[in-house]
Each structure stands twice: as structure tokens, then as C-alpha cells.
Amino acid sequence: DAEITQSPRHKITETGRQVTLACHQTWNHNNMFWYRQDLGHGLRLIHYSYGVQDTNKGEVSDGYSVSRSNTEDLPLTLESAASSQTSVYFCASSVGLAEIEQFFGPGTRLTVL
Amino acid sequence: RKEVEQDPGPFNVPEGATVAFNCTYSNSASQSFFWYRQDCRKEPKLLMSVYSSGNEDGRFTAQLNRASQYISLLIRDSKLSDSATYLCVVNIGTNAGKSTFGDGTTLTVKP
């Protein structure tokens, strides 16, 4: 069955380290998204991509970067992790039309000490 | 003002109760609307889309009021398993589907 996976599921790192969170989908969806979710803030969009070689900044993109070299993967990199980036990160994908639902991965819980 | 606003709750209701949530959106150009359900910090999953004519799926009814720019979700005959956070999602209708999520409304159904 097609799916969307994230790895690692849990990560503890130290301030200043570079961290990369993986997201992989097998639906062949054009669109992929990264969100963070914090208590009291709901889901906030970090970066998104409409296709290979396309990336766009979302609402809270500072300190994060993404790259889209193929359809299946959209890795999220924290260039220099900060304690404020402790959060749960969700990756999502959708076919490409506004009316179509997004499918979410299981999430990555990141703690920056 | 947030683009999408929801009453955070929590809503605590007994089994069998009817409960309704509202969600307001600020962008009048918004074109598609959804309700997602999220269980205990797991991934959100689509509950239902919201159509202009309103739509019903079993005990769940979703409605859209474009004039007042809000959508609603009605849950009838609440079950314990309905306990979750309900996220309102609004899309302005661009071709590629970037959406704005509300912060969610928490529902707890008690025996």
C-alpha cells in the first residue's frame, strides 16, 4: 500500500547541531509539506514543495531548509538547532489540487537540549 | 487576527450528546474547506470535506456559510471514540493546495 513515512520518529539533539528529518511518500504526489505543531499553536507550515526542484517558504521557515530532488522525498534540515525548535514535526503530501486532502506522516518528535 | 480561528474548547460532553464546533476564516477568496481529526498528537486525518450545499456522513454534518465566512461541524449521538481534537482547514484554492489549519477544538466525550 502507498504510504508516507517519517524518520526518525524521535530525536534528541543539542543546540547548534545540524539535524535532518526525512519524509518519504510512495503515492507519487506532487505536493509535499512540512509542519510543526506546538501546544497552543496548532499546525504551522514550515516549507512546501509543488514538485521536483520546487521549494517555498511557509509561515515559520527561519532556521529550516528543504530540498526536492525527486518526487518521493522532502527532507527537512535544521541548520543549527535551537531550543525553540523543539516540537513535533509532520510531513504531508497531496496530489496537487486544492480540493484534495493532505495525507500526513506519523510525525517526528524533536527535542533540542 | 488569525486566518482561521476555532474555539479551542475543551468541550466536555456526555455520551449521546449533540455538539457543534464553528470555525471562522478571514480570507473571502477561500474556496475549499475541510475538517480533520487528530488523536492525542498523532497525525491529522481527514474527517470530511465541506461543500457549499452542506454534507453529512453518518453522525457528522458539515456546513459552510460563505456570507459569514464560517464552517461548522455537528456531531450527533456522541461516542467515547469521538474524543479527539478537530482541526478546521481552509484552502484559498490555488492549484497546488496549500492549506491553513486552525488550532483545533478539543472534544472529550464522557460516559
Side-chain angles (χ1 to χ4, degrees):
Chain A
D1 287 341
E3 60 178 356
I4 181 167
T5 57
Q6 293 183 234
S7 62
R9 295 293 312 278
H10 301 272
K11 174 79 175 177
I12 299 175
T13 191
E14 295 177 342
T15 301
R17 289 190 180 268
Q18 183 180 79
V19 177
T20 296
L21 308 183
C23 175
H24 179 81
Q25 54 97 2
T26 59
W27 282 300
N28 203 36
H29 284 168
N30 290 328
N31 303 335
M32 295 185 72
F33 310 86
W34 273 105
Y35 297 90
R36 61 178 289 175
Q37 187 173 39
D38 307 287
L39 287 173
H41 285 284
L43 283 160
R44 292 185 290 175
L45 185 63
I46 305 171
H47 282 285
Y48 58 102
S49 169
Y50 291 157
V52 176
Q53 301 303 329
D54 176 77
T55 61
N56 305 280
K57 293 181 178 180
E59 177 189 357
V60 289
S61 61
D62 287 349
Y64 303 93
S65 63
V66 294
S67 61
R68 188 90 181 270
S69 59
N70 59 52
T71 301
E72 295 80 16
D73 298 289
L74 187 70
L76 177 72
T77 297
L78 288 67
E79 291 122 13
S80 177
S83 58
S84 60
Q85 294 177 308
T86 293
S87 187
V88 178
Y89 291 85
F90 287 104
C91 177
S93 70
S94 68
V95 170
L97 300 175
E99 297 77 18
I100 302 300
E101 72 178 289
Q102 292 186 28
F103 295 86
F104 284 82
T108 294
R109 187 174 296 274
L110 176 67
T111 302
V112 183
L113 301 175
Chain B
R1 182 185 173 191
K2 289 186 176 181
E3 288 185 51
V4 178
E5 293 200 70
Q6 297 183 247
D7 182 344
F11 285 68
N12 297 307
V13 302
E15 272 187 292
T18 295
V19 62
F21 311 134
N22 281 341
C23 166
T24 59
Y25 60 94
S26 60
N27 191 334
S28 59
S30 299
Q31 294 189 20
S32 52
F33 310 88
F34 309 89
W35 283 103
Y36 279 70
R37 171 190 169 131
Q38 186 176 26
D39 293 292
C40 198
R41 305 276 277 180
K42 292 187 176 179
E43 72 270 26
K45 294 183 180 179
L46 181 68
L47 177 67
M48 57 198 307
S49 302
V50 187
Y51 304 120
S52 296
S53 56
N55 50 305
E56 187 173 312
D57 183 3
R59 298 180 294 107
F60 298 84
T61 300
Q63 292 192 316
L64 167 64
N65 185 317
R66 287 191 184 274
S68 300
Q69 295 185 204
Y70 75 85
I71 65 173
S72 63
L73 178 66
L74 180 76
I75 305 175
R76 291 180 300 276
D77 188 23
S78 298
K79 311 292 185 189
L80 296 176
S81 57
D82 294 334
S83 296
T85 297
Y86 292 84
L87 305 173
C88 167
V89 183
V90 174
N91 191 299
I92 64 171
T94 58
N95 184 49
K98 183 166 73 73
S99 300
T100 301
F101 284 72
D103 290 348
T105 296
T106 299
L107 171 67
T108 301
V109 181
K110 299 186 175 182

